Amino acid sequence: MIKLYYNVVATMSGTSLDGMDIIYVNFMLKNSWSFTIRYAETLPYDTSWKSRLKELTDKTRTEIEAIDIEYSKYLGDKINAFIEKHEITNIDFISSHGHTALHQPEKNLTLQIGNLQDIANITNTKVICDFRVQDVKFGGQGAPLVPVGDRLLFYDYEFCLNLGGFANVSFESNTDRVAFDVCPVNIVLNHYVSKLNLEYDDKGKIAESGIINFNLLERLNQLQFYKQSPPKSLGLEWVQYHIFPIIDNYAIGIKDILRTFVEHCAMQISKILNVENSSVLITGGGAYNTFLIRRIKELSVANIIIPSSEIVEFKEALIFGFLGVLKERDEINCLKSVTGAKTDHSTGKILLPNT
């Protein structure tokens, strides 16, 4: 008999390198799915791990595999500490996104570290993980994977917009769920504000103090990616190849770079949110960038909704936990309308601890 109630520990590490999100969540199915987040934390990376994760795209496959072993052990130890801290005794499984090391779907390549057997062994718990690889094998982008959770958990909103390292959006179009990466956000903003020895631009105050460089803005808006039709997704490699060289070609100050890039983000995002009076749920770290949110509101015709901090910060970890639930039930958790794969499918692998 298939269960209707699941207790899940879920982890997520995003491209903005804020840290590892980890939650303990209960999922329940009655007429529709509902959830309750019991405990949630973001565990910041120390300087060493942040540097190593940022440099993954420059590593050889052999070097990445060595880091993967270390990262999986690190992840397993952190999960154990979280379970012990909160005295969690009832866990059906751990659902792990890992951390994206390489994402080049056009080359049929995606690789996430932190999905090794070691995690199941260290925690002595079933692990469901590695959600992207199968989709790429099926001809998909391997991303975004969150939209099935948007459809089944956040169906009250016309648009679900996440502002993390990248902005990604999902919404219903006819009978299909449509979703795609819109543009880079924090992966670029944090890169440049780090030159001021800051982790991030608090509330967008530095960007707000800058001046738009309209030549740079035009160059960014003309990038070919924005003319492509979905499905489409972005990765760090794309930013390093396309975004940074364009910006670095302009001899302007950091605050003007930030101001220009915020405007670029707001313009690209508002083009998508073009349904008047539609409700838009905004989550991810960018939801705290007051200036970016204000520019999106000013340029779009939609109703912008910022939920509780718990949902803002942990929605992606929550949904990767939910992807694990659907995989456990052998139900579709990856939509071809979103990724471009040849078929809807149930993605992920299940690891049982060695006894």
Side-chain angles (χ1 to χ4, degrees), residues 2 6 9 23 29 56 58 60 91 125 132 144 159 175 188 193 248 250 262 265 285 318 324 347 353:
I2 296 180
Y6 296 85
V9 171
I23 67 171
L29 177 61
L56 282 171
D58 299 324
T60 66
I91 304 173
T125 306
R132 299 190 189 274
F159 294 91
T175 59
V188 173
V193 84
D248 293 341
Y250 287 78
V262 163
C265 295
L318 165 73
T347 188

Side-chain angles (χ1 to χ4, degrees), residues 286-332:
Y288 295 127
N289 188 322
T290 308
F291 180 57
L292 172 59
I293 297 300
R294 192 176 86 215
R295 289 302 297 140
I296 293 172
K297 286 181 177 179
E298 289 169 349
L299 293 175
S300 74
V301 295
N303 295 321
I304 304 300
I305 298 163
I306 309 292
S308 68
S309 60
E310 188 178 67
I311 301 300
V312 166
E313 296 170 23
F314 298 103
K315 176 172 172 275
E316 286 200 298
L318 165 73
I319 291 184
F320 274 97
F322 186 59
L323 294 183
V325 169
L326 296 177
K327 176 65 178 179
E328 176 79 346
R329 295 165 61 87
D330 196 28
E331 295 178 1
I332 290 169

Side-chain angles (χ1 to χ4, degrees), residues 46-234:
D46 62 25
T47 304
S48 173
W49 267 116
K50 184 173 287 192
S51 175
R52 295 169 80 187
L53 295 176
K54 185 181 292 186
E55 295 167 358
L56 282 171
T57 56
D58 299 324
K59 303 294 185 184
T60 66
R61 187 65 178 248
T62 301
E63 289 172 328
I64 291 173
E65 288 171 356
I67 294 172
D68 193 3
I69 294 170
E70 290 184 60
Y71 186 74
S72 294
K73 183 180 185 305
Y74 170 86
L75 201 54
D77 289 342
K78 291 293 185 182
I79 292 169
N80 273 344
F82 176 82
I83 291 169
E84 182 177 349
K85 174 181 177 180
H86 296 289
E87 300 179 343
I88 301 169
T89 57
N90 189 1
I91 304 173
D92 289 298
F93 57 84
I94 294 163
S95 189
S96 172
H97 168 269
H99 184 88
T100 299
L102 299 171
H103 185 66
Q104 300 171 18
E106 70 282 0
K107 299 179 181 178
N108 296 317
L109 173 65
T110 188
L111 174 64
Q112 285 69 45
I113 61 173
N115 290 309
L116 298 183
Q117 177 68 38
D118 301 28
I119 300 176
N121 296 343
I122 291 169
T123 60
N124 195 34
T125 306
K126 179 194 293 186
V127 174
I128 302 179
C129 61
D130 216 4
F131 292 101
R132 299 190 189 274
V133 173
Q134 179 174 290
D135 188 72
V136 171
K137 288 180 179 177
F138 285 178
Q141 292 276 311
L145 298 184
V146 167
V148 72
D150 291 340
R151 168 182 274 182
L152 297 176
L153 298 178
F154 295 96
Y155 44 81
D156 289 336
Y157 303 93
E158 278 85 11
F159 294 91
C160 289
L161 175 69
N162 186 72
L163 300 177
F166 299 91
N168 47 68
V169 67
S170 93
F171 53 92
E172 295 292 328
S173 178
N174 298 319
T175 59
D176 287 333
R177 191 79 187 182
V178 175
F180 50 91
D181 285 343
V182 180
C183 62
V185 183
N186 293 335
I187 198 169
V188 173
L189 297 176
N190 292 354
H191 171 80
Y192 285 101
V193 84
S194 71
K195 299 178 186 299
L196 302 177
N197 295 316
L198 296 170
E199 291 285 323
Y200 57 93
D201 181 8
D202 184 33
K203 298 181 181 178
K205 292 176 183 176
I206 300 173
E208 188 175 9
S209 71
I211 298 171
I212 296 174
N213 183 299
F214 287 98
N215 289 329
L216 172 57
L217 180 62
E218 184 177 2
R219 284 284 309 279
L220 292 170
N221 285 334
Q222 287 177 345
L223 282 165
Q224 188 62 35
F225 177 83
Y226 302 124
K227 301 172 186 175
Q228 296 172 12
S229 299
K232 57 182 181 176
S233 62
L234 293 168

